[in-house]
């Protein structure tokens, strides 16, 4: 009976991603698809982006490299939360994944496989990543956790990254008509080519309502019972948004300036 239950549980937790991709081991050198033009690169270690665990993976048939994002519903951190808090966490993470699937731009993190939910996990796949920006800041507490990331970014890499983020924000503001509202070092991801990509899209706010009227401002509350990643970071928040009751695209530019200061 126990073996039947185990088999049933394993079946329920199977996903398209787990069936079609192989998780790669850190240090393993894997050849990319022949038409990609990319060199063979060693696999970096897994890393965290908020509550997501990110691992390198490769498609079993075509050899395409991706990063698999996984959130464990049954973790020590989740066990500490109440029922309502757990529902809020899941809602925010699902919103983040849905936004990645909907918004397409070279400076927005590219989703490769859509979100899949099982009884115990949330999973989706993106373009191959090496780290979050948080991990390559030498003064960050997370910096030492990823030994494959160089100690500091050079000036050219920083200039290129800021330009890429600016283009991503221009797309959000002008085409998608959204304000990001949560630009921080842990919502910026770095891909295999060294490009900076905007992530953390769970907190975006539309500039207008469906009827065309301006979106109503709501005070950005903070809840001590919720993990930091599913809330806006007040350290990077523009004063006019937090105090003056304004929702404007300039709020994101203030946050980008804070990112430069870090």
């Amino acid at each position: 009976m126990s073996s039947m239950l185990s088999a049933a549980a394993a079946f329920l937790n199977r996903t398209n991603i787990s069936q079609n991709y192989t998780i790669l081991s850190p240090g393993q050198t894997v050849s990319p698809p022949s038409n990609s033009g990319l060199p063979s690169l060693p696999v970096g270690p897994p890393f965290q982006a908020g509550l997501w665990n990110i691992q390198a993976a490769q498609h079993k048939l075509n050899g395409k490299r991706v990063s698999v994002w996984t959130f464990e519903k049954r973790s020590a951190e989740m066990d500490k939360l109440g029922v309502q808090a757990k529902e809020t966490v899941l809602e925010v993470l699902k919103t983040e994944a849905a936004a990645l699937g909907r918004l397409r731009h070279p400076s927005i993190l590219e989703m490769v496989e859509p979100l899949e939910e099982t009884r115990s996990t949330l999973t989706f796949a993106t373009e191959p990543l090496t780290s979050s920006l948080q991990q390559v800041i030498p003064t960050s507490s997370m910096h030492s956790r990823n030994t494959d990331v160089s100690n500091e970014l050079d000036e050219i890499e920083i200039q290129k990254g800021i330009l890429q983020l600016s283009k991503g924000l221009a797309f959000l503001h002008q085409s998608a008509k959204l304000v990001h509202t949560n630009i921080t070092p842990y919502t910026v991801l770095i891909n295999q080519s060294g490009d900076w990509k905007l992530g953390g899209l769970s907190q975006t706010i539309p500039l207008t309502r469906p009827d065309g009227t301006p979106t109503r401002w709501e005070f950005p509350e903070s809840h001590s019972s919720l993990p930091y990643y599913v809330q806006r970071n007040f350290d990077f928040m523009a004063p006019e948004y937090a105090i003056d009751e304004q929702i404007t695209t300039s709020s994101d530019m203030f946050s980008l300036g804070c990112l430069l200061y870090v």
Side-chain angles (χ1 to χ4, degrees), residues 52-106:
W52 297 101
N53 182 50
I54 303 175
Q55 297 173 285
Q58 185 175 39
H59 198 281
K60 293 178 181 178
L61 295 180
N62 61 28
K64 184 175 182 178
R65 289 276 296 272
V66 299
S67 283
V68 173
W69 295 53
T70 305
F71 170 72
E72 297 287 345
K73 296 179 183 179
R74 299 166 183 168
S75 63
E77 187 165 10
M78 285 292 281
D79 289 342
K80 298 175 184 177
L81 304 179
V83 174
Q84 185 61 49
K86 288 180 181 178
E87 291 179 357
T88 299
V89 168
L90 290 174
E91 180 183 352
V92 171
L93 295 181
K94 290 177 184 179
T95 299
E96 178 180 5
L100 289 177
R102 188 175 65 253
L103 298 169
R104 296 287 182 174
H105 185 272

